[in-house]
Amino acid sequence: MGLDAQIIAIGPFSRKVVKALEYPEADYAQVKEGATVVSNVFLAMTSEESHALAACFGVGALDFGRHELNPQAADQKKLTEVFDQENVRDFLLLREYGFKFYFLPNA
């Protein structure tokens, strides 16, 4: 069986981060400032990408005790090699505004 994975971000909504969230800005029109929102940041669709994504944060893809990631530990250069610059930019903006990040494997 293959592995796919994602990194989700959970944090306080702000109009300043809406461009980094998963859905179009109009979908957040009724969301109040400070409300908790959840968004996918990185989607890894293959086993190879999933392992590479985990490694960008210094964890193993099936390292179940470390699902909550340290966003400061992210290797931005490696992330840019695996994902496009837009995903990395969104991650950095959400990190700046205090979001927490979680690695979710699906094996």
Side-chain angles (χ1 to χ4, degrees), residues 81-93:
E81 291 170 5
V82 179
F83 296 93
D84 63 39
Q85 186 62 40
E86 185 177 334
N87 290 113
V88 177
R89 183 201 69 221
D90 292 347
F91 161 72
L92 293 172
L93 182 61

Side-chain angles (χ1 to χ4, degrees), residues 35-83:
T36 300
V37 292
V38 178
S39 187
N40 283 304
V41 182
F42 297 105
L43 297 172
M45 305 311 287
T46 67
S47 295
E48 183 178 340
E49 279 184 348
S50 298
H51 287 282
L53 177 57
C56 289
F57 286 86
V59 300
L62 297 174
D63 195 355
F64 296 122
R66 297 179 68 193
H67 286 291
E68 185 174 352
L69 301 172
N70 174 356
Q72 300 304 322
D75 185 328
Q76 292 179 45
K77 183 179 180 208
K78 282 185 183 176
L79 277 171
T80 303
E81 291 170 5
V82 179
F83 296 93

Side-chain angles (χ1 to χ4, degrees), residues 4-42:
D4 58 49
Q6 64 199 62
I7 290 181
I8 64 167
I10 301 174
F13 179 76
S14 166
R15 300 284 166 221
K16 294 176 182 175
V17 301
V18 74
K19 65 185 173 210
L21 299 174
E22 185 172 12
Y23 296 103
E25 186 172 347
D27 291 350
Y28 297 96
Q30 301 303 314
V31 178
K32 293 184 169 98
E33 292 283 321
T36 300
V37 292
V38 178
S39 187
N40 283 304
V41 182
F42 297 105

